[in-house]
Tab-separated table of all heavy atoms in Angstrom:
chain	number	residue	atom	x	y	z
A	96	LEU	N	-17.480	16.393	27.368
A	96	LEU	CA	-17.915	15.206	26.656
A	96	LEU	C	-18.240	14.140	27.583
A	96	LEU	O	-19.282	13.480	27.535
A	96	LEU	CB	-16.911	14.807	25.612
A	96	LEU	CG	-17.174	13.594	24.799
A	96	LEU	CD1	-18.276	13.850	23.831
A	96	LEU	CD2	-15.862	13.069	24.154
A	97	ILE	N	-17.277	13.875	28.545
A	97	ILE	CA	-17.478	12.824	29.463
A	97	ILE	C	-18.487	13.277	30.620
A	97	ILE	O	-19.325	12.445	30.985
A	97	ILE	CB	-16.125	12.346	30.115
A	97	ILE	CG1	-15.260	11.793	28.977
A	97	ILE	CG2	-16.300	11.348	31.248
A	97	ILE	CD1	-13.880	11.452	29.364
A	98	ASN	N	-18.384	14.479	31.077
A	98	ASN	CA	-19.321	14.964	32.063
A	98	ASN	C	-20.702	14.822	31.594
A	98	ASN	O	-21.630	14.514	32.364
A	98	ASN	CB	-19.021	16.414	32.408
A	98	ASN	CG	-17.737	16.554	33.142
A	98	ASN	OD1	-17.210	15.540	33.717
A	98	ASN	ND2	-17.120	17.724	33.145
A	99	ASP	N	-20.991	15.073	30.321
A	99	ASP	CA	-22.324	15.025	29.753
A	99	ASP	C	-22.908	13.628	29.788
A	99	ASP	O	-24.129	13.420	29.936
A	99	ASP	CB	-22.385	15.482	28.320
A	99	ASP	CG	-22.155	17.016	28.207
A	99	ASP	OD1	-22.170	17.681	29.232
A	99	ASP	OD2	-21.809	17.477	27.058
A	100	TYR	N	-22.068	12.590	29.699
A	100	TYR	CA	-22.504	11.239	29.671
A	100	TYR	C	-22.393	10.506	30.981
A	100	TYR	O	-22.647	9.287	31.077
A	100	TYR	CB	-21.720	10.498	28.534
A	100	TYR	CG	-22.196	10.870	27.132
A	100	TYR	CD1	-21.550	11.850	26.463
A	100	TYR	CD2	-23.310	10.292	26.649
A	100	TYR	CE1	-22.015	12.251	25.191
A	100	TYR	CE2	-23.771	10.668	25.389
A	100	TYR	CZ	-23.120	11.617	24.674
A	100	TYR	OH	-23.594	11.966	23.450
A	101	ASN	N	-21.953	11.127	32.034
A	101	ASN	CA	-21.656	10.570	33.305
A	101	ASN	C	-22.877	9.827	33.842
A	101	ASN	O	-22.846	8.771	34.468
A	101	ASN	CB	-21.062	11.460	34.349
A	101	ASN	CG	-19.600	11.129	34.602
A	101	ASN	OD1	-19.155	9.945	34.336
A	101	ASN	ND2	-18.876	12.056	35.133
A	102	ASP	N	-24.130	10.458	33.663
A	102	ASP	CA	-25.305	9.895	34.222
A	102	ASP	C	-25.673	8.517	33.488
A	102	ASP	O	-25.973	7.474	34.152
A	102	ASP	CB	-26.514	10.774	34.085
A	102	ASP	CG	-26.445	11.938	35.028
A	102	ASP	OD1	-25.674	11.882	36.062
A	102	ASP	OD2	-27.036	12.947	34.710
A	103	LYS	N	-25.507	8.514	32.170
A	103	LYS	CA	-25.679	7.229	31.409
A	103	LYS	C	-24.648	6.180	31.789
A	103	LYS	O	-24.976	5.062	31.912
A	103	LYS	CB	-25.662	7.547	29.880
A	103	LYS	CG	-26.802	8.413	29.455
A	103	LYS	CD	-26.669	8.678	27.986
A	103	LYS	CE	-27.836	9.601	27.571
A	103	LYS	NZ	-27.729	10.074	26.190
A	104	ILE	N	-23.390	6.629	31.934
A	104	ILE	CA	-22.341	5.717	32.345
A	104	ILE	C	-22.608	5.088	33.673
A	104	ILE	O	-22.425	3.859	33.933
A	104	ILE	CB	-20.994	6.393	32.293
A	104	ILE	CG1	-20.668	6.792	30.852
A	104	ILE	CG2	-19.843	5.543	32.896
A	104	ILE	CD1	-19.498	7.856	30.845
A	105	LYS	N	-23.133	5.902	34.580
A	105	LYS	CA	-23.468	5.411	35.977
A	105	LYS	C	-24.545	4.331	35.898
A	105	LYS	O	-24.508	3.346	36.597
A	105	LYS	CB	-23.916	6.598	36.785
A	105	LYS	CG	-24.147	6.110	38.253
A	105	LYS	CD	-24.411	7.342	39.166
A	105	LYS	CE	-24.555	6.766	40.589
A	105	LYS	NZ	-24.702	7.875	41.580
A	106	LEU	N	-25.575	4.468	35.024
A	106	LEU	CA	-26.597	3.588	34.868
A	106	LEU	C	-26.019	2.201	34.374
A	106	LEU	O	-26.463	1.137	34.816
A	106	LEU	CB	-27.710	4.054	33.953
A	106	LEU	CG	-28.566	5.177	34.513
A	106	LEU	CD1	-29.535	5.671	33.407
A	106	LEU	CD2	-29.317	4.757	35.725
A	107	LEU	N	-25.100	2.288	33.427
A	107	LEU	CA	-24.430	1.122	32.943
A	107	LEU	C	-23.570	0.374	34.013
A	107	LEU	O	-23.597	-0.894	34.102
A	107	LEU	CB	-23.589	1.369	31.687
A	107	LEU	CG	-24.251	2.013	30.472
A	107	LEU	CD1	-23.239	2.310	29.394
A	107	LEU	CD2	-25.321	1.081	29.965
Side-chain angles (χ1 to χ4, degrees):
L96 176 72
I97 294 173
N98 291 339
D99 292 345
Y100 286 95
N101 251 340
D102 291 338
K103 292 177 184 176
I104 295 166
K105 185 175 183 174
L106 291 175
L107 299 179

